[in-house]
Structure formats: C-alpha cells, structure tokens
Amino acid sequence: MVERKQQLERDKVSRLVNWGHWFALFNGFLALIVGSRYLETVGLPETLTGWGYLALASIGQFSFLAFLLYLLLIFPVTLLLPYSKILRGLAATVATLGLCILLYDTIVYDDYGVHLSPFAFDVAWADLPSLLSGTSYIVTPIGILALELTAANFLWKRIVKIEKWRIGGKVAAVLGSCFIASHLVHIWADAAKVKDITRYDDAYPLFYPATAKSFMESHGLDSAGGLSKLGEQQQLGYSLDALSCKPQNKPNVLIVAVDALRADMLNPQTMPFLSNYGTDNQLFDKHLSGGNQFQSGMFSLFYGLQGSYMAAPDFQTISPLLTQGFVTSGYALKRFGPASNEINPRPLALFNDFDAALMDDSESRALADIQSREAFEEWRKQQTSPWFALVNLGAPETYDTPVGFAGIETIKAPQGMAPAQRVLFSQYRQSLHFIDSELKSLINHLPADTLVIITGTSGKAFTSNEAEARRDLSPQSVRVPLIIHWPGGEQAQVNYTTSHHGLAPTLMTRVLGCTNPITDYSAGRQLLMPSEQPWVYVGDNRFFAIYQDDEITVIDRHGKYDIYSSDFKTRLNKKLSAPDLIQVMREGRRLYHQ
C-alpha cells in the first residue's frame, strides 16, 4: 500500500515535470515573438547566411531563456509542492513577469542600445512616467497572465495525450541542436569576420555566443587572416552620402595643436603673445577638446566625431574626410611634432594623408618643439602650391623648457593645490611661456593668406600619476583655448560652448566648399553658430564625460557614473538625464548601417 502511494506520487511529479517542460516550450515561443522587436533596432540580415544564423540563434536563445526560468523558479517548487493548481498559478505568474521584463527590455534596448542592467535600469527609471502614462501597462500584463493561465490549464488537461505522442525528446533535440549550431556558426563567423552574423552579438539578453579567438590562438592560428573574409561588409557610413565639395579660394591652412594647453592659462602674464593674438582674432572662450589625451583630442579634431567611434575598425584604414578633402583639392599636407606621440596611434589612419617630419623628443620635448618649428618654416618656404600643415608642440605635457630658458616670474598657485601640485603649476607656466615664444616666432613669419588655428590637444591635470591623469575628465583636463585667424581678418569673442568636433565641419564648409549636411560626416556641430545639442561628449569609447551647461556626468565602461557641478567641485546627488543620454548613445550609433 505504501509502495503504491509512493509510485502514485512519483507519477504525479513526473507528470508535473513533463507539463513544466511543455509550458516552458510554449513560453519560449512567446518570448521569440516578443524578442522579434530587437530586430527593429538591430536591423534585418542582408544575406542568406545571416538569415540562417539568426533563425538558429533566435530559436536556441529564447528556448534557453524559457527553460532557464523554469529550471530556476518552477522545477524546485515541483519537487517541494507537487500540486498542480499551485504550480499552474505560480508558473503563469512567473511567465507573465518574465515576458513583461523582456518586453520592457526591448523598449530600453531600442532607446539606449543596452539591455537591462543596474545601470540601464537606473537611467531608464526616468522614462517610467511616459511608459505608464497610458493603460497598456495594466492591460498588457493582464492579457499575458490570462493567456498564460489558459495555456497552463490547456496543457495540464492534455498532458497525458501529449505524452503518448513521444515527441518530447525530438523537440528537445531540435532546440538543443539550434542552440549548439548557432554557437558553432558564430565561431566560424567570428574568425572569418562575417559582420552580417557578428552584428547580432549583443542583440538578445544574456546572449554570449562562442568565439574562435581562444581556440585558434591555442592552435597557433591567426584569427584575423587565417580564414576567408567571405561576407565581410562595411558597417560604418562615413560619410552617410557622397561629399559634394568645390573650394572657391585656397588659403594656406596651419593648425598648431599644443599638448596639455589649459584654457585658464591663456593670460597676459603667462602667454602674452597668444593672449593678444586671441584678442585680435576669433577667440572661443568656452571650448572643449574631444578628450583628455592626445589620441582622443586629435581624433575629435580631425574626424569631427565623438570618441565612442574611436574603436571602429574602419578607422584603421579610413583617414579623416577633412584631410582627404585637402588632398583632393591639391593641397600639400605635412605634419611636424614629437615622435613620442606616435606610440600606439589610435586610430591608425588618423594621419595617413600627411607626410611626417617627427622629432626625437627622448631627451627634451622643448628641443623637439624648436626643431618642429624650424622644420615647418623650412618646408613652408619650399611650397609652390596651397598647403595644409599640422604643427604639434608637446613641451607642456612634460613641463619641459629648453636649457638656458630665462622664464618668467613665479606667481602664487591657486588655492587648494597640494605642495607637489604647486611645484608642477610653476614649472607648467614656464613651459607655456616658452611655447608662447615659439608661437610668436612661428606666426610672425607666415604668409598673409594663411588661415591659422591654434588650440590644445587636451588640458592638463597637475599630477605625475598617469593612470589618474587618464581618468581625469574635469574642466582642467579638457577645456582648451581655440583661436582662429581668418585671412579676411575676422575678429570676435565667442562665448557659447564649442568643441573640437566643430573644426572639421567648419573647415569643410568654409574652406573646401562642401555642401552636404554636416551630420553626414561629423557629430553635427560647427564653430560659427551655437549648437542645437545641449551637451558635448568628451573622452573615448571606454571612459567619457557628458558636458552640459550646469553639470558634468562622468561614465565608465561598466556603467558607473558620477554627476558633478559645472565647476567640478561638487558631486551632485541626482540621476542621469535620460533624454540627453539617449541622444548621446544614438549619436554613437548614428553612422552605423542597420
């Protein structure tokens, strides 16, 4: 009698487990329908191979998610409380909650480009009022719950009949095969760089497709070139449309980019020549570099794009459209500067259109700056056609001055500086005074028809800790002077916010005569009128800040963020502005083909 009762209990549990598997399969199908919304954001495949992979990955992933939810939340209860009514109600509730979360994730992914996480939920929380403004937030969960209860009861009443079909193993084998096959196909696609497949790597939540890198490296194979690149497609639209440019006049163009040139040091005491030169020409009072390092500053200056694009593989071979335009217009291009800035250039194609004259600065950056100026002056005298030159001066980055430099009187350092910082501040002023003398010598010998642009690649934080300097996105590290001398003699003091992103479109429209909308090839800013965007992106693709008039938001690659007052002295206890962050993230995806 006891054995009979135990057998009945085992049969009951077995029946409930079978029911749970079929209920999970049903929810995998519903999740697949809801998950199709992700494709509206990512875009549909363009090849038959892409469609095949997407079908395998979608079926495998959403079946996996449904079974995982069952395994974690329903199966344990089946063993502890093997009562069908309790399980059906619980399973329907859990499934409804899971589908609602998935549905909300599709909305967040469409707006922000990321899946739900503590960071994403924190940001998306600000959008909840708009999401809850209608009745759908009530009707949809009720409708899903009603569907789930109906399906749970339907399957339970027919579970004995379904068991007789003996197809459960075959269905499981098909779903498992889809899951495994999608990962195997992705291993090949990752090695062969088939972008119509790898573009979906982040499309679905908890989707981590296998890659070939570790396997191939362990067997001594080169994943970058060992397999065919069949199916590789260019995803970046730079420019979004063919450029239409026709320069009317061809002035000589000189860009002087000074490493570590802080805007607050442009004063008559430290840099008398540059201070007067700014007053006599076009001076931009509220100018930001695109980053706090040489690479991010130069990237924003020449490409006109925010630093989130720096990691794009396309820019390893595609040089800036700005320099391409000058080459096409018959300009001679050359750059001069310290050789140490060539270490690990990123992106690789940034200076491809320039001939280079790089000076050894291993002993002294100040001496290298003198040599760069002299080399430029010698080269300029030899030119018979319009020229475009970049002179990069680097002494302030290392607080350097040449041997025997007289210098200027020291002044009291700003309040709040530590003793070591006061020493660096004093030496920094000496270096800037030296640079001021080099700029005076450089500019006073230029032809009258030269368009001159003087700015900083970045600002300067007074620290000897390189890691600390790389993470410092405060105004002292990114606010730089910008002075433009137009051959026509325009004079103005611009007091609205500008950034390095605006230089390329300004030169392309005013010098190269490009008529395209500037959003075709840049971040959509220009220097000669206020930007419609209330923010500026500063940094690279790993660590960046969003500068606004009244606050500065610093975000790392893990989604951790801090919000500071505009002077960076007070940390604000507030949430991210969701609408502005949406604009930033959309700008970071705008040039990619869907």
Side-chain angles (χ1 to χ4, degrees), residues 15 96 187 218 248 256 282-283 333 360 380 387 435 437 455 494 541 547 578:
R15 186 182 176 191
T96 300
I187 289 175
S218 67
Q248 300 299 318
V256 183
Q282 204 169 47
L283 174 63
L333 277 69
D360 179 14
R380 177 186 59 77
W387 49 263
I435 289 295
S437 65
T455 189
V494 179
N541 56 303
Y547 268 69

Short mmCIF file of all heavy atoms in Angstrom, two decimals, residues 15 96 187 218 248 256 282-283 333 360 380 387 435 437 455 494 541 547 578:
data_model
loop_
_atom_site.label_atom_id
_atom_site.label_comp_id
_atom_site.label_asym_id
_atom_site.label_seq_id
_atom_site.Cartn_x
_atom_site.Cartn_y
_atom_site.Cartn_z
N ARG A 15 4.56 13.68 -14.11
CA ARG A 15 3.58 14.34 -14.97
C ARG A 15 3.71 15.86 -14.89
O ARG A 15 3.64 16.56 -15.91
CB ARG A 15 2.18 13.90 -14.57
CG ARG A 15 1.07 14.41 -15.48
CD ARG A 15 -0.28 13.96 -14.95
NE ARG A 15 -1.38 14.51 -15.74
CZ ARG A 15 -2.65 14.45 -15.38
NH1 ARG A 15 -2.97 13.83 -14.25
NH2 ARG A 15 -3.59 14.96 -16.14
N THR A 96 4.45 35.41 -16.83
CA THR A 96 3.97 36.76 -17.13
C THR A 96 5.00 37.81 -16.75
O THR A 96 5.28 38.75 -17.51
CB THR A 96 2.65 37.04 -16.38
OG1 THR A 96 1.66 36.08 -16.79
CG2 THR A 96 2.16 38.45 -16.66
N ILE A 187 31.32 30.79 -34.17
CA ILE A 187 32.77 30.60 -34.09
C ILE A 187 33.40 30.84 -35.46
O ILE A 187 34.42 31.53 -35.59
CB ILE A 187 33.09 29.17 -33.58
CG1 ILE A 187 32.74 29.05 -32.10
CG2 ILE A 187 34.57 28.83 -33.80
CD1 ILE A 187 32.90 27.65 -31.55
N SER A 218 45.26 29.11 -29.38
CA SER A 218 45.88 27.96 -28.71
C SER A 218 46.44 26.96 -29.70
O SER A 218 47.29 26.14 -29.37
CB SER A 218 44.85 27.26 -27.80
OG SER A 218 43.81 26.67 -28.58
N GLN A 248 36.32 77.55 -53.35
CA GLN A 248 36.39 78.78 -54.15
C GLN A 248 37.77 79.41 -54.04
O GLN A 248 38.40 79.75 -55.04
CB GLN A 248 35.31 79.76 -53.69
CG GLN A 248 33.90 79.23 -53.83
CD GLN A 248 33.53 78.91 -55.26
OE1 GLN A 248 33.85 79.67 -56.18
NE2 GLN A 248 32.85 77.78 -55.46
N VAL A 256 48.00 74.58 -35.27
CA VAL A 256 49.00 74.40 -34.22
C VAL A 256 48.28 73.77 -33.03
O VAL A 256 47.42 74.39 -32.41
CB VAL A 256 49.66 75.73 -33.80
CG1 VAL A 256 50.75 75.46 -32.76
CG2 VAL A 256 50.24 76.43 -35.01
N GLN A 282 39.66 85.58 -33.70
CA GLN A 282 38.45 84.92 -33.23
C GLN A 282 38.81 84.01 -32.07
O GLN A 282 39.50 83.00 -32.23
CB GLN A 282 37.80 84.11 -34.37
CG GLN A 282 36.32 83.88 -34.21
CD GLN A 282 35.70 83.32 -35.48
OE1 GLN A 282 36.22 82.39 -36.06
NE2 GLN A 282 34.59 83.90 -35.91
N LEU A 283 38.35 84.37 -30.88
CA LEU A 283 38.69 83.63 -29.66
C LEU A 283 37.43 82.94 -29.12
O LEU A 283 36.40 83.59 -28.91
CB LEU A 283 39.23 84.59 -28.60
CG LEU A 283 39.49 84.01 -27.21
CD1 LEU A 283 40.57 82.93 -27.26
CD2 LEU A 283 39.87 85.11 -26.22
N LEU A 333 50.21 68.34 -47.84
CA LEU A 333 49.95 68.11 -46.42
C LEU A 333 51.21 67.61 -45.74
O LEU A 333 51.86 66.67 -46.22
CB LEU A 333 48.82 67.09 -46.22
CG LEU A 333 47.37 67.59 -46.30
CD1 LEU A 333 47.01 68.01 -47.71
CD2 LEU A 333 46.40 66.54 -45.80
N ASP A 360 62.89 63.60 -32.56
CA ASP A 360 63.24 62.79 -31.40
C ASP A 360 63.11 63.65 -30.14
O ASP A 360 63.80 64.67 -30.00
CB ASP A 360 64.67 62.27 -31.55
CG ASP A 360 65.11 61.43 -30.35
OD1 ASP A 360 64.22 61.03 -29.55
OD2 ASP A 360 66.31 61.17 -30.20
N ARG A 380 57.79 75.24 -45.43
CA ARG A 380 56.84 76.23 -45.94
C ARG A 380 57.46 77.07 -47.06
O ARG A 380 56.80 77.37 -48.07
CB ARG A 380 56.36 77.14 -44.81
CG ARG A 380 55.44 78.25 -45.25
CD ARG A 380 55.12 79.21 -44.12
NE ARG A 380 56.30 79.84 -43.56
CZ ARG A 380 56.97 80.84 -44.14
NH1 ARG A 380 56.56 81.34 -45.32
NH2 ARG A 380 58.01 81.38 -43.56
N TRP A 387 49.03 74.80 -49.08
CA TRP A 387 49.47 73.76 -48.15
C TRP A 387 48.59 73.72 -46.91
O TRP A 387 47.96 74.70 -46.55
CB TRP A 387 50.94 73.93 -47.76
CG TRP A 387 51.33 75.32 -47.32
CD1 TRP A 387 51.91 76.30 -48.08
CD2 TRP A 387 51.18 75.89 -46.00
NE1 TRP A 387 52.12 77.45 -47.34
CE2 TRP A 387 51.69 77.21 -46.06
CE3 TRP A 387 50.65 75.43 -44.80
CZ2 TRP A 387 51.68 78.06 -44.96
CZ3 TRP A 387 50.65 76.26 -43.69
CH2 TRP A 387 51.16 77.57 -43.78
N ILE A 435 56.43 78.04 -24.92
CA ILE A 435 55.58 77.77 -26.08
C ILE A 435 55.08 79.08 -26.68
O ILE A 435 54.97 79.23 -27.90
CB ILE A 435 54.40 76.87 -25.69
CG1 ILE A 435 54.88 75.44 -25.39
CG2 ILE A 435 53.33 76.84 -26.77
CD1 ILE A 435 55.47 74.72 -26.58
N SER A 437 56.59 81.91 -26.82
CA SER A 437 57.66 82.48 -27.65
C SER A 437 57.80 81.74 -28.98
O SER A 437 58.07 82.35 -30.02
CB SER A 437 58.99 82.47 -26.89
OG SER A 437 59.42 81.14 -26.65
N THR A 455 45.12 75.66 -30.92
CA THR A 455 44.31 75.04 -29.88
C THR A 455 45.16 74.04 -29.11
O THR A 455 46.36 73.88 -29.37
CB THR A 455 43.06 74.35 -30.48
OG1 THR A 455 42.19 73.95 -29.43
CG2 THR A 455 43.45 73.13 -31.30
N VAL A 494 33.83 84.58 -28.97
CA VAL A 494 32.69 83.66 -28.97
C VAL A 494 32.49 83.12 -27.56
O VAL A 494 33.39 82.49 -26.99
CB VAL A 494 32.93 82.50 -29.96
CG1 VAL A 494 31.75 81.53 -29.93
CG2 VAL A 494 33.15 83.04 -31.37
N ASN A 541 35.92 55.57 -26.16
CA ASN A 541 34.82 54.61 -26.10
C ASN A 541 34.78 53.84 -24.78
O ASN A 541 33.88 53.04 -24.56
CB ASN A 541 34.95 53.61 -27.25
CG ASN A 541 36.28 52.89 -27.25
OD1 ASN A 541 37.33 53.52 -27.29
ND2 ASN A 541 36.27 51.58 -27.21
N TYR A 547 29.37 66.83 -21.04
CA TYR A 547 29.43 68.20 -20.55
C TYR A 547 28.15 68.94 -20.92
O TYR A 547 27.77 68.98 -22.09
CB TYR A 547 30.64 68.93 -21.14
CG TYR A 547 31.88 68.85 -20.28
CD1 TYR A 547 32.55 67.65 -20.10
CD2 TYR A 547 32.38 69.98 -19.62
CE1 TYR A 547 33.69 67.56 -19.31
CE2 TYR A 547 33.51 69.90 -18.83
CZ TYR A 547 34.16 68.70 -18.67
OH TYR A 547 35.28 68.62 -17.88
N ALA A 578 17.86 61.08 -18.66
CA ALA A 578 17.62 60.05 -19.68
C ALA A 578 17.52 60.61 -21.10
O ALA A 578 18.12 60.06 -22.02
CB ALA A 578 16.37 59.26 -19.33
#
